[in-house]
Amino acid sequence: MQVSGAAETEASYRDNRAVFEEYGFMHRVLRDVSKRETSVTLFGKTYSAPFGIAPMGISSLSGYRGDLAQAQAAEQAGIPMILSGSSLIRLEEVVEAAPDTWFQAYLPAEVSDINRLVDRVAQAGVKTLVITVDSAVVPNRENNLRTGFKTPLKPNLKLFWDGVTHPSWSIGTFLRTLAYHGMPYFENNAAERGSAILSRSAVRDFSGREHLDWETLRSIRRRWQGQLVIKGLLHPEDVALARDLGADGVILSNHGGRQLDGAISPMRALPKAMEVSGDMSVMVDSGFRRGTDVIKALALGAKFVFIGRPFNYAASIGGEAGVQHAIGLLMSELRADMGMLGINQLHELHPSMLVHLTRPTFDN
C-alpha cells in the first residue's frame, strides 16, 4: 500500500488515469512506417525512448537493492532514472554503477544544509539535479494510517504477520538486505547519512520546509552548474517563474496523487504549461502506464515522460531483469503505436492527432 496508495480519497490518483480516456487518436493509414525510431534528445543527450524512471523513495525496501536495479536497468536501456532523495543506497554508489542517473532532492530546511547537499550531488558526478517543490508540508496519506506504515518502521504483530505471509519479501528483500548490507539508512536526504529506517530518530517527513520559496531556487541555480529541473508544478504561472529563474526543465506532476488530493492531472496542466515554457523542456509524470499514454503526452507538447510505480513493481518481483522487461514492454508498445498512428519519428506527433472526447450525460 505504501507504493500503490495515494492521499485521502485518491481523487487525484484516479484522475491521473481518467484523463487518458478523454483523448482519442485521429490516425493516418497507408504510410510507410518501416523506419520507426523511438529515440529523443533531451538536454543534449539522445535517449532510446521518450520515457524514464521517476524518483521513488525507499525503493530498496519494496525490492532488494531496488534503486540500483532500476538505475542499472535504465542505463542498460539508454533511458534516464531519477534517484530519490529518500533512497536507501548512497547516491555515489548508484551513480558509479549507472553514471547517467539523475538525482532528485527534497530540500533541507537550512540554506547551509542545502548548499552542502548540492555540493555533494555535484561531487558525485550527477549532471541533472531535480528539485521537488510540491512537498512543503506533510500530506494526509490515510492509506498509510490504515496499513500501519510509517517511518520509523516499528515492529508489531501486524508487521510480523505480513512478513510471515509474504516470505518472498521478508526473506528475499528485508532479511537479505540486513545480511549483506546491514540496516538500511536514509542515505541521501542531506549531505550526511541520515538515520536507520528502524531508528526512533528517523525523520522522513517534510516539516520545516514551509518557508522555502523561489528565492531558494534562484540561489541553487547560481550554485548548481549542471542541468536544473523543477518537479511538482501544475500552474502555468509557476512554470513561467521556473523559466525566468533559469531552470532547464520542469516536470509537471501531482506526485502520483500522493500529495494534495484533488490536484488536477498533469496532463490537464500540460497545454497551458506549453504556452509559457519558452525554451525549457517540459516533462510530465503521474499516472502513465501504457505506450499510448506516453504518445498522448508527447502529442500535447511534452518532451519526456517519467513513470514510477510500474518499474517499482517490476524491481520488487524480478530485480534488474524485471525492470529491463518492463522497459522493453513499454518500448514495444511505443513502436507499435507509432506504426498504427502512421509516423516514423516522435517529433511528427502533433495535437491535431488527438481528439478531445466528450462523454454523454444522462438525465435521471
Side-chain angles (χ1 to χ4, degrees):
M1 286 298 293
Q2 162 63 9
V3 178
S4 64
E8 296 183 357
T9 68
E10 301 192 344
S12 294
Y13 178 83
R14 292 192 301 274
D15 191 50
N16 286 344
R17 291 300 306 147
V19 68
F20 293 110
E21 296 184 10
E22 298 174 14
Y23 289 96
F25 290 114
M26 184 79 76
H27 65 277
R28 300 298 302 273
V29 297
L30 294 177
R31 292 187 169 191
D32 182 354
V33 292
S34 61
K35 298 179 181 179
R36 299 189 304 286
E37 173 59 57
T38 62
S39 65
V40 296
T41 300
L42 180 66
F43 302 145
K45 180 177 177 64
T46 299
Y47 292 104
S48 62
F51 64 85
I53 301 179
M56 292 169 285
I58 61 173
S59 290
S60 292
L61 190 63
S62 53
Y64 178 71
R65 307 292 277 173
D67 301 304
L68 269 176
Q70 294 171 30
Q72 290 175 314
E75 188 88 9
Q76 192 75 14
I79 64 173
M81 180 266 197
I82 309 176
L83 180 68
S84 170
S86 292
S87 47
L88 304 177
I89 301 177
R90 294 182 72 250
L91 72 93
E92 290 83 358
E93 182 178 351
V94 176
V95 172
E96 182 179 0
D100 194 48
T101 300
W102 302 8
F103 181 75
Q104 172 266 331
Y106 293 113
L107 296 179
E110 301 298 328
V111 173
S112 59
D113 292 333
I114 292 173
N115 290 340
R116 289 190 299 119
L117 175 60
V118 170
D119 291 345
R120 176 191 170 189
V121 175
Q123 291 167 7
V126 173
K127 301 178 182 63
T128 303
L129 174 63
V130 180
I131 305 294
T132 291
V133 295
D134 62 351
S135 301
V137 298
V138 180
N140 183 23
R141 296 176 185 169
E142 294 175 356
N143 65 296
N144 287 354
L145 295 176
R146 289 191 293 270
T147 58
F149 181 89
K150 58 183 176 180
T151 301
L153 291 177
K154 293 184 178 180
N156 53 46
L157 288 176
K158 188 179 188 309
L159 185 61
F160 173 76
W161 179 248
D162 285 343
V164 169
T165 55
H166 299 81
S168 61
W169 175 83
S170 56
I171 297 173
T173 297
F174 191 66
L175 293 179
R176 186 181 176 192
T177 299
L178 291 178
Y180 289 101
H181 307 283
M183 180 64 65
Y185 281 72
F186 291 107
E187 298 284 1
N188 304 309
N189 273 327
E192 302 83 19
R193 183 186 227 188
S195 300
I197 197 166
L198 293 179
S199 170
R200 291 183 179 180
S201 62
V203 176
R204 268 193 70 242
D205 67 20
F206 307 129
S207 58
R209 294 173 170 82
E210 293 92 339
H211 66 283
L212 298 175
D213 57 16
W214 287 100
E215 187 54 42
T216 306
L217 293 188
R218 290 189 183 92
S219 67
I220 292 173
R221 174 70 285 182
R222 291 191 292 268
R223 192 177 193 89
W224 176 256
Q225 300 302 307
Q227 308 291 344
L228 180 64
V229 175
I230 313 301
K231 176 181 179 293
L233 309 181
L234 290 175
H235 201 290
E237 291 184 14
D238 287 337
V239 175
L241 286 170
R243 176 203 65 204
D244 292 343
L245 71 80
D248 299 287
V250 295
I251 301 177
L252 305 180
S253 173
N254 65 18
H255 219 103
R258 295 165 59 82
Q259 293 300 104
L260 176 62
D261 193 35
I264 63 171
S265 163
M267 282 286 288
R268 302 189 192 279
L270 181 54
K272 290 291 185 182
M274 294 305 304
E275 294 177 6
V276 299
S277 60
D279 294 332
M280 281 195 314
S281 294
V282 176
M283 297 160 279
V284 62
D285 71 15
S286 300
F288 290 84
R289 298 292 181 267
R290 308 306 299 252
T292 49
D293 300 341
V294 176
I295 290 285
K296 289 173 183 178
L298 299 181
L300 290 176
K303 185 73 171 178
F304 213 80
V305 168
F306 284 95
I307 301 170
R309 289 178 174 96
F311 294 123
N312 201 331
Y313 297 145
S316 68
I317 295 171
E320 182 180 341
V323 181
Q324 289 175 340
H325 180 66
I327 293 171
L329 289 175
L330 197 54
M331 284 186 170
S332 295
E333 288 187 4
L334 276 171
R335 281 186 51 82
D337 296 335
M338 292 174 66
M340 288 182 280
L341 278 169
I343 63 172
N344 283 296
Q345 302 288 332
L346 290 171
H347 65 73
E348 298 175 53
L349 290 168
H350 188 270
S352 63
M353 296 179 175
L354 298 180
V355 176
H356 197 270
L357 307 175
T358 56
R359 300 298 182 188
T361 58
F362 301 94
D363 295 330
N364 292 330

